[in-house]
Amino acid sequence: MTVSTRLPEETQSRDWLRMLIGTLLLIGLTIMVAEIDRGIANFFRGQGVAQNPLEYPLTAVVVGLVANGVLRLTRTYTYVRPAVRTELYLKIGLVILGARISLGDLLATGVGGLVQALIMVGVVFFFTWWLGGRLKLPETLRAVLASAVSICGVSAAIAAAGAVQARKEEVTYITTLVILVALPLMVLAPPMATALNLPQDVAGAWFGGNIDTTAAVVGAGTLYGAQAQQTAAVVKLSQNVLIGFVAFGLALYFVTVVKRGEGERPSAKIIWQRFPKFVLGFVLVSLLASVGAFTPELVREMSSAYQWIFALAFVCIGIDFSLHDLRSAGWRPLAVYLGATVFNTLLALGVAYVIFGVLF
Amino acid sequence: MSRTKFSLSEDWLATIAGLIIVAVIGLGVLGPGPQTVTINAAAGEIQSKLALPLSGWTVSATIDGQRATVEGTLTALSGGTNLIIECAAGRLRSHYAVRALPAGVNDAPEDRGQIVVVNGCDAAVSVTYRTSGAIVWPLFNLFGR
C-alpha cells in the first residue's frame, strides 16, 4: 500500500488548475454546440421550417457525451471534473429565464389562449402526476415529467427540476424524450388537422396545446398556415407563462410535503432552509419583466444569455452522464410520457375545438 | 495560521450570478444596451430623431409600407453629426450633412448623432436604425434563430 502525502497548498493550486482547464474546455464545447445548432437551424430553414425543432439541449448532451468518452479514454476526466457544475449553471440560467416570463404577456394573449392554457396545464399536469404515481415513479421525476408534458417541454422540465432538486439523469431523460416526441408530432399533427378539416384557429390552438416544444409548435403551425401559426404561438406563450407559478408551487410542495421528515412539522425556518432560493431570483426577475422593466430587445439578449448557460449545463450533463443511472430509470418514465402525450393530444383537440371553434 | 473561510450555498451563488447577468444586460452596465430609433415621415415631411453615437447600426426602411433599400447606407453615427436620408423619385439615399440642415431641423448636440429623414416622395417613409447590445449576445450570432 502506498501513502501519498501532499501539501494543502499544492492540492489547492492543482484544484484551481483543474478548474481553469475544465472551464476552458466547457466554454469551447459550448461554442461548438452553438455552431452545430446554427448548422442544424440552417438546414431546417432550407427545408422551409422556420425554427430548429432539434433544440440545442439535445445537441449539447450529445457533444457532452462525446467529450465524456474522449476524456475517459484518455484518462483526463479528473482534470475537468471540478468545472462540471451542472446544477449551478442550470440555476443561474433559470434566474435569467424569469425575464421571458411576463405576466403582461399572459393578459395580452387573449381570453381564449389563457383559458385553454389554464385548463390544459392544470388537467394534464395532474393526470401525468397521477399516472406517474400509478407506475411508481420517484416524486422528483413525476414533477419534471408532469411539468414537461403540461407546460412547454424543455424550459418547464429544467425549471421544475431545479425547483424539486431532481437528479441530472432525470432532466436528461425527460428533455431527450420531449425533443424526440415533439419532432414526429410536428410533422404528423398538420396532416391530421387537415384530415379532421380543422379551421386554422382550432388547429393552431391544438398544436399549441399538445406539442411540447415551442419550436415544434411554431413549425407545425407554419406547415398548416399563417393563422394557425399565430394561434399556436399565442396558446404556447400562455402556457409558458405558467412555468413560474408551477415552479414556485412545486418548490413549496416539495419542501413542505415530499422532503419533510417523519413526524416533522414544517416550521417557517425549515421551509426557508430547504426552499431552493434561486426560485426567488427567478420570481424577482419575472416580476421585473411583468412591470415592463425590460424592453423586447433586452429580453431577446437575456434569452440568448440563458440559452448559453443552459447549453453549458447540458454539455455538463453529457460529460457527467452515467449509462447505469439512465438504465435504472427503466421503461416506466417512457410509458408515462407517451401515455400523458396521448391524453394531452386528445384533450387539447377537444379543448381547442370548444374554445376556438365554439366559444370564441 | 487559521483562515476564516466564507462560502455561499449553490442556490445563493446561482441567484447572485443570475441577477448580476440580468443587471449587466438590463441596466446596460457595460454599455447602452440595444437601441432602436424609428423615424416616420409622411409624404413631403421632414422628421428627425437623436440617437446615441454608436457604430454598427443596421438600417431598414419602408416606402408606403413596402420594404426599401437605402442606397449608400451609413451605419456609423458620431456625436454632433447629422445623417440625412432623402427620399426622391421612389428611392432612398443617405449621406452626412455637409451644408446647412433643412429648415426647422437643429444641429445635433455633441453627445448625440441625428438622423434626418427628408421625404420628397409622395408616399410615407419609415426608417429604423437598430444596434445590438454592448456585449454582443449571442457571440458570433450563435443561437440566432
Side-chain angles (χ1 to χ4, degrees), chain A residues 203-225:
Chain A
W206 183 40
F207 304 152
N210 109 63
I211 302 176
D212 283 335
T213 71
T214 307
V217 164
V218 174
T222 309
L223 292 174
Y224 202 69

Side-chain angles (χ1 to χ4, degrees), chain A residues 173-195:
Chain A
Y173 196 111
I174 301 305
T175 48
T176 307
L177 276 182
V178 164
I179 296 164
L180 293 182
V181 172
L183 209 58
L185 271 179
M186 179 189 82
V187 179
L188 294 174
M192 282 161 72
T194 307

Side-chain angles (χ1 to χ4, degrees), chain A residues 218-234:
Chain A
V218 174
T222 309
L223 292 174
Y224 202 69
Q227 184 58 39
Q229 187 205 48
Q230 201 182 327
T231 311
V234 162

Side-chain angles (χ1 to χ4, degrees), chain A residues 34 37-38 45 52 56 85 87-88 91-92 96 272 276-278 285 294 297-298 301-302 304 307-309 311, chain B residues 10-15 17-19 21-22 25-26 34 36 132-133 135 137-145:
Chain A
D37 181 75
R38 189 167 59 159
R45 223 168 273 145
N52 175 8
Y56 67 92
R85 302 281 303 270
E87 284 88 356
L88 177 68
K91 288 171 183 174
I92 295 173
I96 308 168
W272 174 246
K277 316 293 188 297
F278 75 93
V285 176
F294 312 123
E297 285 87 2
L298 286 175
E301 304 241 318
M302 288 181 203
S304 281
Q307 282 181 324
W308 273 99
I309 295 167
Chain B
E10 191 175 82
D11 272 6
W12 283 120
L13 195 61
T15 307
L19 290 176
I21 294 171
V22 168
I25 298 172
T36 303
S132 56
I135 321 165
W137 286 107
L139 288 168
F140 320 122
N141 200 29
L142 303 177
F143 289 121
R145 291 148 202 263

